[in-house]
């Protein structure tokens, strides 16, 4: 993927108890190109996600492309996303494209190229989803059904 495809891109990762996935996801996102940066917004995960990311930032050669915001309490995904997007907007890093995604690899980082290509054709927004090729592991049946129904409703309405 060309680093100049859409300018500087910020990927916001709202996190809570993501220590098993977070570092691999950050590495996968940074591997997409030097124009990609990551902002992890963690809600003080009791599993040590914040500490893990903080230590990785200090010890890895990520060239200041990873930023960590730790919120003091679990306050929801929407608020975490807003916090990360606001940080990106207010920073002096010149981000031109913003992405938000789950930390559990239910969204494949390599699929970001497809969304960025859509933006290059004149779109203002590109949306990705878990279906049809995404993976979801460990969800209870009720969450599978809710997700399926929400996607079905979206297809009917669009």
């Amino acid at each position: 993927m060309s680093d100049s495809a859409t300018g500087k891109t910020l990927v916001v990762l709202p996190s809570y108890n993501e220590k098993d996935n977070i570092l691999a996801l950050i590495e996968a996102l940074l591997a997409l190109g030097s124009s990609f940066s990551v902002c992890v917004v963690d809600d003080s995960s009791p599993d040590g996600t914040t500490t893990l990311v903080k230590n990785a930032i200090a010890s890895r050669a990520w060239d200041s492309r990873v930023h960590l915001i730790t919120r003091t309490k679990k306050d929801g995904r929407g608020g975490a996303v807003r916090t990360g997007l606001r940080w990106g907007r207010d920073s002096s890093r010149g981000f031109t494209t913003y992405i938000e995604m789950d930390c559990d690899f239910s969204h494949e980082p390599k699929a970001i190229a497809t969304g960025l290509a859509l933006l290059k054709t004149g779109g203002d927004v590109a949306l990705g989803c878990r279906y049809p090729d995404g993976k979801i592991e460990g969800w209870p049946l009720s969450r599978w059904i809710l997700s399926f129904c929400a996607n079905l409703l979206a297809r009917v309405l669009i």
Side-chain angles (χ1 to χ4, degrees):
M1 175 184 327
S2 167
D3 283 349
S4 61
T6 56
K8 294 180 103 181
T9 300
L10 177 65
V11 181
V12 176
L13 301 176
S15 69
Y16 189 76
N17 287 341
E18 296 291 351
K19 72 175 178 127
D20 294 336
N21 302 318
I22 193 75
L23 296 184
L25 180 59
I26 291 170
E27 291 286 354
L29 292 168
L30 296 180
L32 294 175
S34 61
S35 65
F36 285 82
S37 294
V38 174
C39 178
V40 177
V41 182
D42 188 68
D43 280 358
S44 295
S45 297
D47 74 346
T49 300
T50 293
T51 302
L52 189 67
V53 173
K54 189 182 299 182
N55 290 342
I57 289 171
S59 66
R60 297 187 186 203
W62 284 342
D63 301 321
S64 303
R65 293 194 298 148
V66 179
H67 182 74
L68 172 66
I69 298 171
T70 304
R71 301 191 315 164
T72 57
K73 63 179 178 146
K74 188 169 193 250
D75 196 29
R77 178 186 183 89
V81 172
R82 282 190 303 276
T83 296
L85 294 175
R86 193 174 299 119
W87 174 83
R89 180 200 64 200
D90 294 344
S91 77
S92 61
R93 299 187 186 197
F95 298 113
T96 57
T97 306
Y98 296 86
I99 297 170
E100 178 270 327
M101 63 189 295
D102 289 343
C103 292
D104 62 1
F105 282 96
S106 59
H107 300 102
E108 173 59 50
K110 291 178 184 175
I112 289 173
T114 303
L116 293 178
L118 289 170
L119 294 176
K120 284 179 63 177
T121 64
D124 293 325
V125 175
L127 299 175
C129 79
R130 295 178 175 95
Y131 304 106
D133 299 323
K135 64 180 179 178
I136 305 167
E137 297 174 359
W139 275 14
L141 180 60
S142 60
R143 186 139 183 221
W144 277 89
I145 292 170
L146 177 63
S147 181
F148 174 80
C149 291
N151 277 276
L152 180 62
L153 179 63
R155 281 192 299 274
V156 169
L157 294 177
I158 295 175

